[in-house]
Amino acid sequence: MFAQVVFPLPFRNAFTYFVPDEISSMLQIGVRVTAPFGKRTLTGFVIGFSEKSEVSEKIKPLSDILDETPLFNKTDVKFYEWIADYYLCSLGEALKLAVPYGLEIESKRKIISDSTVCSEILSKEKNKASIKVKS
C-alpha cells in the first residue's frame, strides 16, 4: 500500500510513501504521519492512499502514524485545497493550520552512549581529578 503525504512546506505536490504492514491498518485520510524527508523526519498529512504507485524511484516507508482518528476527511481536503489556492500556499501549510501549535514533530535524533567507548575515553583522560563519575 502507498500513501500520498503533504508536508507543511512550500511544495505544491504530494509525496508517495510505502506503508509498512504493521501500520497499514491505522492508515486513513486525514491522519498525521512521520516520514523521512531528506536527512530529517517530518510530520505530514495523509491526503490519499492506493494499492499501486506510479513512482518508479525507490519509495521510502512511513515511520509512524500519529493519530488514531483522522483530523479531516476527504471532503475537508477540498476546503483546504481552496484555502491553499486562495492564500497562495501549499496544501500542507493550509492543513497545518488545522492542528494546534506544538503538535508537529519536526525531527528526531537518537543518542546512545556506548559504555566501552566512554571507558576508553576516560582511561585516556590526563586530568582525572576534574572528572566526576556518577554510578
Side-chain angles (χ1 to χ4, degrees):
M1 182 177 285
F2 299 94
Q4 286 73 45
V5 178
V6 293
F7 297 100
L9 299 170
F11 299 116
R12 294 257 177 195
N13 54 337
F15 296 89
T16 302
Y17 285 87
F18 172 73
V19 182
D21 291 336
E22 58 269 11
I23 62 174
S24 64
S25 63
M26 300 184 303
L27 186 69
Q28 301 176 58
I29 292 176
V31 295
R32 292 176 305 143
V33 295
T34 55
F37 192 84
K39 294 181 180 180
R40 303 179 289 174
T41 298
L42 296 179
T43 302
F45 303 95
V46 175
I47 60 165
F49 52 89
S50 62
E51 293 294 324
K52 296 180 182 177
S53 174
E54 325 271 302
V55 179
S56 59
E57 296 92 34
K58 183 180 177 203
I59 300 175
K60 294 180 181 179
L62 290 176
S63 302
D64 198 8
I65 295 179
L66 301 176
D67 302 312
E68 292 180 9
T69 58
L71 301 173
F72 55 88
N73 60 34
K74 206 172 196 174
T75 308
D76 295 338
V77 171
K78 297 209 180 297
F79 171 69
Y80 287 106
E81 286 173 343
W82 176 85
I83 289 176
D85 287 340
Y86 188 82
Y87 289 103
L88 303 174
C89 65
S90 71
L91 178 58
E93 290 171 317
L95 288 169
K96 183 180 178 181
L97 300 174
V99 179
Y101 179 76
L103 292 182
E104 69 274 353
I105 297 173
E106 299 246 344
S107 64
K108 291 182 183 178
R109 182 175 292 173
K110 201 181 281 188
I111 300 173
I112 301 171
S113 65
D114 186 353
S115 59
T116 56
V117 173
C118 292
S119 297
E120 287 176 25
I121 293 171
L122 180 62
S123 67
K124 293 177 183 175
E125 181 64 36
K126 293 178 182 173
N127 187 6
K128 293 187 182 189
S130 67
I131 300 173
K132 294 180 183 178
V133 179
K134 292 184 180 180
S135 302

